[in-house]
Amino acid sequence: MSQSTSPDDVDLIQLLTPTGQRVDRPDYSPRIAHLDATALRGMYRDMLLTRRFDTEATALQRQGELGLWAQSLGQEAAQVGSGRAASPQDMIFPAYREHGVAFVRGLELTKILRQFRGIDHGGWDPKDHNFHLYTLVIGSHTLHATGYAMGMQRDGVVGTGDPQRDAATMVYFGDGATSQGDTNEALVFAAVNNAPVVFFCQNNQWAISEPTSRQSRVPLYRRGQGFGIPSLRVDGNDVLACYAVTSEALERARSGGGPTFIEAFTYRMGAHTTSDDPTRYRSAAEEQYWRDRDPIDRLLALMKAEDAVDDAWLAELDEEATAFGEHIRTTVRSFERPSSDFMFRNVYAGPHAIVDDERAWFEAYQRTFVDVSATAGGH
Amino acid sequence: MSQSTSPDDVDLIQLLTPTGQRVDRPDYSPRIAHLDATALRGMYRDMLLTRRFDTEATALQRQGELGLWAQSLGQEAAQVGSGRAASPQDMIFPAYREHGVAFVRGLELTKILRQFRGIDHGGWDPKDHNFHLYTLVIGSHTLHATGYAMGMQRDGVVGTGDPQRDAATMVYFGDGATSQGDTNEALVFAAVNNAPVVFFCQNNQWAISEPTSRQSRVPLYRRGQGFGIPSLRVDGNDVLACYAVTSEALERARSGGGPTFIEAFTYRMGAHTTSDDPTRYRSAAEEQYWRDRDPIDRLLALMKAEDAVDDAWLAELDEEATAFGEHIRTTVRSFERPSSDFMFRNVYAGPHAIVDDERAWFEAYQRTFVDVSATAGGH
Amino acid sequence: MTTLTLAGAINAGLRRALENDPKVLLMGEDIGALGGVFRVTDGLHKDFGGERVVDTPLAEAGIVGTAIGLAMRGYRPVCEIQFDGFIFPAFDQITTQLAKMHYRSQGRINLPVVIRVPYGGGIGAIEHHSESPEALFAHTPGLRVVSPATPADGFAMIQQAIASPDPVLFFEPKGRYWDKGEVDLDAAAGAPEGLGVARIARAGTDLTIVAYGPTVATALKVAEAAAAEGTSIEVVDLRSLSPLDTATLAESVRRTGHCVVVHEAPVFFGAGAEIAARITEACFFHLEAPVLRVGGFHVPYPVSKLEHDYLPGLDRVLDAVDRALSY
Amino acid sequence: MTTLTLAGAINAGLRRALENDPKVLLMGEDIGALGGVFRVTDGLHKDFGGERVVDTPLAEAGIVGTAIGLAMRGYRPVCEIQFDGFIFPAFDQITTQLAKMHYRSQGRINLPVVIRVPYGGGIGAIEHHSESPEALFAHTPGLRVVSPATPADGFAMIQQAIASPDPVLFFEPKGRYWDKGEVDLDAAAGAPEGLGVARIARAGTDLTIVAYGPTVATALKVAEAAAAEGTSIEVVDLRSLSPLDTATLAESVRRTGHCVVVHEAPVFFGAGAEIAARITEACFFHLEAPVLRVGGFHVPYPVSKLEHDYLPGLDRVLDAVDRALSY
Ligand SMILES: Cc1ncc(C[n+]2csc(CCOP(=O)(O)OP(=O)(O)O)c2C)c(N)n1
Ligand SMILES: Cc1ncc(C[n+]2csc(CCOP(=O)(O)OP(=O)(O)O)c2C)c(N)n1
Ligand SMILES: [Mg+2]
Ligand SMILES: [Mg+2]
């Protein structure tokens, strides 16, 4: 498997080297020219707090407070960079580890933990931040994003020339997801409809235990080209490059220029989920290689080199992160098991005789137990 | 929709112009150098008899002898050219209108009509000519071909260097089929396994009533490239070019070089099937345009220019075609309705209590009727 | 009242829906200029344009998946699956996404998507063109599964389905597309809840035949034939498999004491199993014979020359009626 | 005899099959170095190599579709679907191709493909990881649908499934993967026909509980509890849904006169419907109460914190037993 972001990867778009030096590119540098020190600190904060969230959730899972956790560790630059390029009116379709995008969209992150605690299949209202629910069936949401984008076209909010109005969708998925029929059909529908959708593929080099070479023998960004969709590969650990290419792609989509396929080449630094054991399939050396290319360190190096940050600010952020961690822990621990009838709610929007009968039966059945808790236990 | 095989389509591989002049190409001309007058006449005969078969079947459908018919009209060059490039040990997976390929493989063509008469879901033994059954669910057989090719790899009949032994698969599908998830997944599996499979896409410009522009906004051969599969576009009405590119692709596959994607740009001169009415969605002018580019005429023009054919031979062929037509009609009319218990046979290879019980019940039930024909009638 | 075929009635219902709600759009393969392979969308592309009557790429998962996205954006997509046998590529989108999004989102997202499926046999077709997969969807919570049997119901039910806030699998008995009936084109379609209500297609006292879609007409013929021999058969047209109108069914069977269920799908694990189990539970002490089931066999849909042996025709249903009455 | 978990027993059966037949190969997501997310293929990649224990691209239709091609070429592929909820992308390949190829080809093509599906709930998982879709396959002619309940059956049945000339949907009750039992690793697996034969897991005289896969253990606990109160319950472990061993079932219910069917899948249109309908027809005059069904509700599999309200546990089955006996 390729571990490289090496110089011979001529197609990889980079605005920041792994050691934090700026790369000047006439095509993309102008797109980040307006990002001043404040903006960089903002990005840094997003990434740092995303990571804090991730760390806390991992710990909560270990403590039995969550059933499972899927880490975003290592993918913060890809997520924060791309997420920040989106406008509020854009609609985002995440997969299931886009915690950094969720944060940038303004989602109260603990809502994500409801799903992983087993008390909710969703957890928030997608309309609140134009951030859809997590989708667990790999690739299936790429079609939803495309259909939503087709709806935007019909609503006349594409290519009006009004940047407050023009909108697009962006869908996140992994390297593994590129093999699914659905994902490829989404590229078909997006292309023939010239739909305003950005396909943001985080190639974190692993689909659980399978390296990307099990999904493709060529870099994944070439997939989009085969459908006639402008496609590119960006250094996913370079928050500035991710921001630049995504803002270009979204702008094109919003203005009526159609879809773009972005492959953000990054690395899943953690396990697939807390149920996974990566030592069974990848080397410690590989993990170390990528720890040395941590996307957060990279931005910090730049900020330090450019005097965009000082110790006082970092200390303040550290305090904020600590408080954030505390908030996450307290909130999760306070999440209650829903009452049993939650199970019967919202199966249908209208009445349905079978559900209604079964619910009535179950309620009567439960009343036959003096101590309702005795109904738990199962098989 | 594009009707063109015009000079600005630089990617289109042609060895014979629409008027039958040879095009010299250093890459592909050597591949047809060995095709002498006899070979050309053989190709012409294949195409002509395929067309005769198609015409007879269409007429038989009109007479009520067949329930439906899917014409190959206009696609004879793509089918005969590619089919002739295959070796006996190669395995072919057709869609449902590859009558020309079937003919080249040596299938007794009337077997195909069993399916369209409603007496068989298949009609022949795929092993007899290494020609699989027709598959009606669009795209689904592309995966079977890929899996079969993976089996050939495991059997050690790929890349041995022995041309009598090395084998590949070839799968036929249409422009419409490129939109199906299955077809794209087949490209994924073929690419990562470097499987010996040739994807032969007959772009006949229509999927029933939908022009290819409803499936893709770029030429279809580019699809394969996105998966890292060598891909090319050939003039599908040029039997020599189809032969050349397919022999190259199959040779690569057999020798261990992996998959190839071929788009043969042709035209469905007839209706989608006998149930279809093309006047509802395409113009007479378009149809005339393509009638003027008939693939059979093209080869005949070449043969005449090169004195590869004389009137006596043509007259002989005409007689053969007449006899062939007679044979088709007689054979089809002699096809009998299978007995009712045919329905219960071969559901499973082993015993199955439910089928066995139902079959026994049905037989007893039928015996209750003095006149068995009275059981027909249905709802 | 106007005389219409079932296909014509559904066409009229679609037209009405397109007229009344700008958010309604039709999607599918060949539904535009061609008007669909059965012409059910005939004329609609011409009158409402390609943005509302959409010829899609040839990909059923894509059709349903993008319909879900459109529904999230506030549209009411009506998808056509060209034939029953081609719904399976969309099975994942229907089962894991369409059926569950409302639940997953705690009711925040509605997906008013209709999936029209011409289904059933009897038309002399090749493989995959005559199947009855309805039970596969009725087992999935979150979907509504309905099937009209008459032009009047075709007209009303397609509008109710489109108005429904829930996803609806709308199974159209293609073998009945050209059967004619009276339709009141001025009638309001009725509330979507009406979708779940069964209809007594013919009253009777000795035995209840439960049917839906293509077998309702068969059941009525059976009742006719039985009447000539002095047997009074009640025919219940279910209209809906999910929900199932157990109340209407049970009321009928309690009166008649005998029940035969008829559908084209294989009997094994088919809708008749649920109906029989449910009726037996509801009417245990009223039943004078077990609920008998007549339908397809546990074989793939056979070659068309044998389909009339496979399908539950007049004779086989009468045979079951006799067996039930003489149990 | 060796004590093994169900997961370990299936692993041993797969190993045996790989050893005995060079044409057997395993395919799936993460089944190689990782050994599968449940470790059912643990160690097999190491011992048999990547050509026989194949990590596939992430595409279920692709897995089943290429397995069909491999089977045509003479291989016996055993596909793993990672979780029940992810089988749906492969639904078309399973339903229209795998199930029908033998029929389509008039028996000229055999497709001895096994599809292993860890299924069922009770493991505290997130959405799509706890479902029971078995009824959706049993309705499709051409497929065999089985589910082992014990390590001994896991070991034998996986080998029988692989030896079967027909495609087999092999549903593994993942909530029982770590339950232990005695397995005779030296025993021959038995002929594939054995797959269709039900097993009396416990003899009894008052009532028959019909179960399969994960609910067999529940049924046995219920029988235990009932025995303490003087009720003698017979437990039938179906092992197979298609075919269904009606003879064994009917024989039991004729003796006991009462029957309760238990499965995790939603009751509505679930396997219990077919079983109830069939038993009622076969034992009409012996039944003292309708066949009662206990299972999941007509709701998507709920959040894990509520799954024990959803699943048919001891109490709910006992309740049904009481209702049946006091009918
Ligand atoms: C259709 C489907 N098949 C299998 C799975 C099980 N599964 C969950 S995540 C995963 C790997 C996904 O890899 P990738 O797309 O690269 O995303 P990543 O987890 O690396 O972010 C698999 C196989 C699933 N969720 N959906
Ligand atoms: C999965 C599926 N969906 C729909 C159909 C109905 N159908 C049969 S042929 C056809 C068009 C196929 O077009 P193309 O792939 O271009 O092949 P052509 O018929 O032009 O040879 C359609 C939509 C089908 N057979 N299978
Ligand atoms: Mg990944
Ligand atoms: Mg075509």
Side-chain angles (χ1 to χ4, degrees), chain C residues 18 65 70 76 87 110 116 127 175 198 200 264 268 277 325:
Chain C
L18 284 162
L70 280 155
R76 303 186 94 87
I87 196 169
N110 283 353
R116 295 181 39 241
E127 204 188 347
I200 308 287
E264 291 193 3
F268 193 58
L325 289 174

Side-chain angles (χ1 to χ4, degrees), chain B residues 75 96-97 174-176 202-208 212 268:
Chain B
Q75 302 179 215
Y96 46 78
R97 63 168 101 249
D175 43 298
Q202 286 173 86
N203 178 358
N204 63 9
Q205 304 185 53
W206 291 96
I208 308 188
T212 308
R268 193 195 77 208

Side-chain angles (χ1 to χ4, degrees), chain B residues 19-321:
Chain B
T19 50
Q21 270 105 36
R22 283 191 191 262
V23 179
D24 199 42
R25 290 186 58 130
D27 46 359
Y28 289 107
S29 293
R31 295 213 161 254
I32 57 163
H34 67 290
L35 298 178
D36 57 12
T38 313
L40 294 186
R41 283 197 301 271
M43 284 179 155
Y44 183 78
R45 175 177 172 274
D46 290 348
M47 294 203 282
L48 197 92
L49 294 184
T50 298
R51 183 163 296 182
R52 181 56 173 246
F53 170 68
D54 193 66
T55 310
E56 294 291 344
T58 307
L60 285 163
Q61 196 282 333
R62 299 239 166 81
Q63 294 155 25
E65 297 287 347
L66 301 177
L68 185 81
W69 181 240
Q71 291 197 267
S72 50
L73 187 70
Q75 302 179 215
E76 293 88 351
Q79 297 183 3
V80 167
S82 60
R84 277 194 161 236
S87 298
Q89 72 272 23
D90 295 332
M91 182 73 193
I92 309 296
F93 288 80
Y96 46 78
R97 63 168 101 249
E98 279 69 41
H99 320 316
V101 187
F103 187 73
V104 169
R105 293 303 278 180
L107 186 74
E108 155 65 47
L109 286 190
T110 55
K111 292 189 179 175
I112 294 175
L113 303 178
R114 302 180 67 84
Q115 178 173 26
F116 291 90
R117 191 171 168 89
I119 60 169
D120 205 319
H121 281 330
W124 59 91
D125 191 330
K127 283 191 274 319
D128 285 346
H129 305 280
N130 278 342
F131 185 75
H132 187 61
L133 302 177
Y134 279 2
T135 299
L136 302 181
V137 181
I138 300 291
S140 61
H141 60 310
T142 59
L143 284 165
H144 309 162
T146 304
Y148 198 94
M150 290 162 60
M152 287 174 163
Q153 291 178 301
R154 283 172 174 72
D155 288 344
V157 296
V158 180
T160 68
D162 174 355
Q164 303 308 311
R165 196 164 171 224
D166 281 347
T169 74
M170 177 153 57
V171 56
Y172 289 84
F173 54 99
D175 43 298
T178 61
S179 294
Q180 282 287 0
D182 277 11
T183 307
N184 292 280
E185 291 189 11
L187 297 173
V188 169
F189 277 70
V192 300
N193 290 295
N194 204 37
V197 49
V198 175
F199 292 93
F200 196 93
C201 174
Q202 286 173 86
N203 178 358
N204 63 9
Q205 304 185 53
W206 291 96
I208 308 188
S209 72
E210 301 193 17
T212 308
S213 58
R214 292 309 303 161
Q215 318 291 342
S216 181
R217 64 180 191 185
V218 289
L220 288 173
Y221 75 96
R222 284 184 46 189
R223 179 69 54 84
Q225 293 169 351
F227 294 82
I229 295 178
S231 303
L232 51 88
R233 176 178 249 206
V234 65
D235 185 334
N237 284 11
D238 171 353
V239 68
L240 297 181
C242 287
Y243 176 85
V245 300
T246 310
S247 75
E248 177 193 49
L250 280 169
E251 211 173 279
R252 174 160 53 228
R254 290 188 209 109
S255 64
T260 302
F261 185 104
I262 297 172
E263 176 194 2
F265 191 78
T266 177
Y267 190 73
R268 193 195 77 208
M269 286 172 65
H272 171 69
T273 65
T274 45
S275 298
D276 183 35
D277 174 10
T279 65
R280 294 178 75 105
Y281 54 79
R282 69 185 190 187
S283 68
E286 177 184 314
E287 295 187 356
Q288 187 55 51
Y289 178 93
W290 284 98
R291 255 196 306 276
D292 293 342
R293 276 149 194 80
D294 189 310
I296 299 188
D297 296 346
R298 192 186 300 197
L299 181 60
L300 184 62
L302 171 77
M303 285 160 62
K304 285 191 169 157
E306 297 186 349
D307 280 332
V309 72
D310 58 30
D311 288 349
W313 187 83
L314 285 172
E316 224 172 89
L317 181 58
D318 195 48
E319 260 172 54
E320 184 183 5

Side-chain angles (χ1 to χ4, degrees), chain D:
Chain D
M1 286 295 206
T2 314
T3 306
L4 285 179
T5 61
L6 175 61
I10 297 170
N11 178 281
L14 290 170
R15 175 178 289 278
R16 182 67 48 88
L18 284 162
E19 278 164 3
N20 289 350
D21 184 350
K23 294 294 188 186
V24 171
L25 56 91
L26 316 188
M27 312 168 58
E29 297 158 9
D30 307 295
I31 67 165
L34 185 64
V37 296
F38 291 106
R39 307 291 183 266
V40 174
T41 55
D42 195 24
L44 301 177
H45 181 266
K46 184 166 154 287
D47 294 343
F48 296 93
E51 288 293 294
R52 299 196 61 202
V53 181
V54 187
D55 270 338
T56 64
L58 207 174
E60 288 76 10
I63 294 170
V64 175
T66 55
I68 290 172
L70 280 155
M72 286 177 181
R73 183 79 196 174
Y75 288 85
R76 302 186 95 86
V78 183
C79 305
E80 174 174 304
I81 298 294
Q82 201 160 78
F83 284 89
D84 35 65
F86 305 137
I87 196 169
F88 302 111
F91 208 87
D92 178 58
Q93 283 290 341
I94 296 172
T95 308
T96 73
Q97 303 304 314
L98 184 61
K100 295 183 175 170
M101 197 71 78
H102 187 72
Y103 194 70
R104 184 178 300 150
S105 69
Q106 284 194 43
R108 293 175 183 120
I109 300 175
N110 282 353
L111 293 184
V113 175
V114 177
I115 302 184
R116 296 182 37 242
V117 191
Y119 83 120
I123 63 161
I126 51 176
E127 203 188 349
H128 310 292
H129 292 71
S130 307
E131 301 177 6
S132 298
E134 64 276 12
L136 303 180
F137 300 97
H139 188 40
T140 299
L143 303 176
R144 294 177 187 274
V145 182
V146 305
S147 182
T150 66
D153 270 1
F155 178 67
M157 287 172 66
I158 190 68
Q159 293 180 70
Q160 291 172 308
I162 294 170
S164 169
D166 292 311
V168 179
L169 273 285
F170 195 83
F171 283 97
E172 303 175 0
K174 70 169 95 77
R176 304 291 178 196
Y177 266 152
W178 313 117
D179 288 9
K180 287 187 181 154
E182 296 298 293
V183 180
D184 181 357
L185 290 175
D186 298 323
E193 289 78 52
L195 272 183
V197 181
R199 172 178 77 96
I200 306 288
R202 177 186 173 122
T205 53
D206 299 335
L207 179 143
T208 305
I209 299 185
V210 182
Y212 57 89
T215 57
V216 173
T218 313
L220 290 170
K221 275 192 211 138
V222 169
E224 201 67 45
E229 293 175 17
T231 305
S232 167
I233 288 182
E234 176 146 313
V235 176
V236 179
D237 172 3
L238 281 182
R239 281 182 173 144
S240 171
L241 291 178
S242 178
L244 192 64
D245 186 352
T246 319
T248 300
L249 283 178
E251 189 282 323
S252 174
V253 176
R254 275 193 209 104
R255 271 190 285 108
T256 63
H258 300 88
C259 181
V260 171
V261 192
V262 190
H263 54 60
E264 291 192 2
V267 164
F268 192 59
F269 277 76
E274 179 61 40
I275 295 163
R278 203 160 276 269
I279 291 181
T280 306
E281 200 173 331
C283 314
F284 190 65
F285 293 117
H286 296 80
L287 277 174
E288 291 167 39
V291 178
L292 297 184
R293 297 177 284 162
V294 190
F297 299 106
H298 192 66
V299 308
Y301 198 92
V303 295
S304 64
K305 291 281 193 229
L306 296 182
E307 68 180 330
H308 290 299
D309 284 341
Y310 171 87
L311 290 168
L314 190 70
D315 290 329
R316 263 174 52 213
V317 181
L318 274 173
D319 170 76
V321 167
D322 287 349
R323 278 187 285 132
L325 289 173
S326 59
Y327 212 85

Side-chain angles (χ1 to χ4, degrees), chain A residues 11-25:
Chain A
D11 291 331
L12 191 81
I13 296 164
Q14 221 178 44
L15 295 176
L16 211 52
T17 67
T19 51
Q21 270 107 36
R22 284 192 191 261
V23 179
D24 199 43
R25 290 186 59 129

